Amino acid sequence: MSEKRGTERRLTTRGAATRRRIVAAAADLAMLRAAAALQAERVLAAHGPLLEALDSLAAMRSWRDAVLALNRRTGCPLGALVYQLPRSARGARTAVGDGLEIWRRRIEEGLVRMQARGELAPGAAPADIALAVLSAVQGGLLLSRSAKSDRPLALAFDMALAHVAAQVRSRRAASPSKA
């Protein structure tokens, strides 16, 4: 403790002010990381049950409807946070990125279940489709926020689901034929 007092006494007034600004900035960045992690947790909790149920095109459409309803109430705090974080907030950006990656993986897991059941074509790439879907959703959320309208999100989501639907095998092709 006495060493700390000695350091503070040796600082000039300007040096002490600089030190306080540095410490305050560091504290702000730590709080940003915690806030980003909390927002990621909230978003994933809100989408959790729907993402766990993703195992068909119908389930994906239900998720779409739920995302639109959530957007009307709150928007996407996770996506919005990305654009508000300073470049220096690496820890917070990492927390947001981690949350988005979990979200992408959950979409991918649903697509893998669809593929295992034979609904999604064997040649489809669940990881790539999941990334495209999440990209469309996040882009739609961002544009919806700036337009103060659900239309960009609905259009982006519908386009992403049309891409998924193009990868869905017809029931006739998915079931073995009886010759």
Side-chain angles (χ1 to χ4, degrees):
M1 187 89 154
S2 63
E3 186 178 313
K4 182 180 175 189
R5 285 185 190 153
T7 303
E8 287 179 9
R9 276 189 232 147
R10 283 184 272 173
L11 292 176
T12 64
T13 304
R14 186 174 175 194
T18 300
R19 183 178 187 280
R20 281 191 299 276
R21 282 194 309 275
I22 291 169
V23 170
D28 288 346
L29 292 177
M31 288 186 288
L32 282 174
R33 180 179 173 86
L38 178 61
Q39 290 296 55
E41 189 179 305
R42 287 176 175 170
V43 167
L44 292 169
H47 291 265
L50 293 161
L51 291 171
E52 290 169 13
L54 283 185
D55 63 357
S56 68
L57 191 55
M60 292 191 87
R61 288 183 178 127
S62 293
W63 175 50
R64 172 216 181 262
D65 295 342
V67 169
L68 283 168
L70 278 169
N71 186 54
R72 284 183 203 108
R73 288 194 311 264
T74 62
C76 180
L78 191 57
L81 192 57
V82 170
Y83 299 102
Q84 296 172 4
L85 291 173
R87 288 191 190 274
S88 59
R90 286 188 213 112
R93 287 182 174 279
T94 298
V96 170
D98 291 348
L100 289 169
E101 176 57 19
I102 292 168
W103 198 356
R104 188 209 58 78
R105 272 198 316 259
R106 289 191 182 164
I107 297 168
E108 179 184 356
E109 290 165 1
L111 293 164
V112 167
R113 287 190 295 271
M114 288 172 65
Q115 199 169 43
R117 273 197 358 269
E119 183 176 358
L120 196 62
D128 291 343
I129 296 170
L131 180 59
V133 168
L134 183 58
S135 297
V137 170
Q138 282 300 314
L141 285 163
L142 173 66
L143 293 174
S144 286
R145 177 174 263 219
S146 68
K148 295 179 177 63
S149 165
D150 280 347
R151 190 164 189 269
L153 175 58
L155 289 171
F157 220 137
D158 289 345
M159 182 185 66
L161 291 184
H163 178 68
V164 174
Q167 303 294 317
V168 170
R169 296 170 52 170
S170 69
R171 289 182 190 253
R172 188 175 301 154
S175 61
S177 62
K178 295 181 182 179

